[in-house]
Amino acid sequence: MTNLGDLEIFARVVSSGSMSAAGRLLSLSPAVISKRVKRLEDRLGTRLLQRTTRQISLTEAGQGFYDRVLGILAGIEDAEAYASGRSSQAQGTLRISAPTSFGRMHIAPHLTGFMKDHPDLKLHIVLSDDFADIVADGFDLAVRIGELTDSSLVARKLAPVRRLLCAAPSYVARHGLPREIGDLANHVCLPAHNNDNWKLGGPGGSLTYRPEGPLVTNSSEIIREAVIAGAGIALRSTWDIGKELRAGQLVQVLPQWEGSRNLTLSAVYPSRQFLPAKVRLFIDYLAALYGPVPYWEQ
């Protein structure tokens, strides 16, 4: 009978796309991974993977075998969860990638409750504004803000993202309020991320505006602090400046225009099949925490 460990290794190689990536996920060397896959192929008497120097791909036999192996592994996990009661508990280490500001403001303050409910789980959270390669970098999931695109990753929407043009009352007192988009040319704009364009929607449809300003940075937090201090007009997400809007530290500018509604807050992960309980439980926790009308909008 085939070793179940070999089946898991084979499935991880396919889902991660390489021997080295599978090795990182399973804490095994690429040499051991390769040896175990070869042993599986020898036992079956057929080649499962086509190997090149840069990538691997499934043979026809390998594809059929992989589809069936996923069902076997999922069945084993379900059986173990049923027998041990782990279906509502998370164990091991959960590696998460998240955006810097959002992670600090809207993930970190809520971790205590999740960790209390799952004392056997360790969290490893990396904050970065760069999109991590989930598989290659060994993450279980990533929290991302952006437009969802076609990819091999599975995405679950956690909350809508709403962005507004805003400025501090002190800036408005000095420069006044723009009445239409064209008036922004006469104002100090604070584009984030090295002069990224502003994608806006409003009267008559959507447009892309290229803001010009004296401050160039790759730090979203610098722009946030600058707009609060009265340095200019910025396009910011309500999760980022909702508190300041409610407190009157910022006011909305050109309220008929908002950022593109195509942006979402999502959890992305490698595969819907063979999803560990720790990943599912954390995603469910965030989805319940934020919801279709997140607390920063209320």
Side-chain angles (χ1 to χ4, degrees):
M1 180 179 292
T2 300
N3 188 306
L4 286 175
D6 290 347
L7 297 184
E8 181 179 5
I9 288 173
F10 169 71
R12 290 295 187 183
V13 169
V14 176
S15 63
S16 64
S18 72
M19 302 278 185
S20 57
R24 286 192 292 271
L25 291 171
L26 297 171
S27 299
L28 297 172
S29 70
V32 170
I33 295 289
S34 179
K35 182 178 179 180
R36 296 284 290 273
V37 171
K38 180 65 167 54
R39 182 173 74 178
L40 179 61
E41 290 178 324
D42 290 344
R43 179 171 182 80
L44 296 173
T46 187
R47 173 165 289 188
L48 301 173
L49 300 173
Q50 296 286 3
R51 303 166 180 82
T52 67
T53 55
R54 293 190 176 184
Q55 63 181 6
I56 62 170
S57 61
L58 286 165
T59 63
E60 183 178 354
Q63 182 64 63
F65 187 70
Y66 176 65
D67 293 341
R68 289 161 177 79
V69 164
L70 286 179
I72 293 170
L73 294 176
I76 291 173
E77 185 178 15
D78 287 344
E80 289 180 345
Y82 174 80
S84 64
R86 287 191 299 139
S87 58
S88 62
Q89 290 295 319
Q91 298 178 337
T93 299
L94 180 63
R95 285 179 50 82
I96 304 162
S97 171
T100 303
S101 297
F102 186 86
R104 177 178 57 80
M105 297 174 68
H106 298 292
I107 294 179
H110 306 293
L111 291 177
T112 301
F114 184 78
M115 292 189 294
K116 182 178 180 180
D117 291 341
H118 304 283
D120 295 329
L121 180 68
K122 294 182 179 180
L123 298 180
H124 183 173
I125 301 177
V126 176
L127 299 183
S128 173
D129 291 327
D130 295 327
F131 276 11
D133 186 327
I134 297 178
V135 174
D137 295 337
F139 288 105
D140 295 295
L141 76 145
V143 177
R144 288 183 176 171
I145 299 171
E147 296 185 16
L148 294 181
T149 58
D150 293 335
S151 81
S152 60
L153 301 176
V154 180
R156 177 176 171 185
K157 182 178 178 179
L158 299 174
V161 173
R162 183 167 168 249
R163 296 185 301 159
L164 311 175
L165 292 164
C166 60
S170 59
Y171 175 86
V172 175
R174 295 195 312 273
H175 300 280
L177 284 170
R179 297 186 179 277
E180 56 186 41
I181 287 293
D183 293 341
L184 290 175
N186 301 317
H187 283 266
V188 178
C189 294
L190 300 173
H193 297 359
N194 296 321
N195 289 324
D196 277 356
N197 291 335
W198 289 348
K199 296 180 180 179
L200 304 171
S206 60
L207 60 82
T208 298
Y209 181 80
R210 183 167 182 80
E212 299 289 345
L215 178 60
V216 178
T217 177
N218 67 343
S219 171
S220 180
E221 293 195 344
I222 287 180
I223 297 298
R224 180 183 188 277
E225 297 306 313
V227 70
I228 293 172
I233 297 172
L235 180 66
R236 307 299 300 175
S237 298
T238 53
W239 63 258
D240 189 38
I241 45 89
K243 179 179 178 182
E244 287 73 21
L245 285 170
R246 290 190 294 271
Q249 292 178 271
L250 291 173
V251 296
Q252 190 173 357
V253 173
L254 294 171
Q256 67 272 35
W257 291 93
E258 292 190 4
S260 169
R261 292 297 183 93
N262 292 329
L263 295 182
T264 61
L265 173 71
S266 303
V268 298
Y269 50 97
S271 174
R272 183 175 280 110
Q273 295 176 300
F274 196 45
L275 182 66
K278 60 185 179 182
V279 176
R280 173 178 54 82
L281 289 168
F282 189 74
I283 293 175
D284 288 346
Y285 181 77
L286 294 184
L289 177 64
Y290 306 141
V293 183
Y295 61 80
W296 54 79
E297 289 277 3
Q298 300 173 10

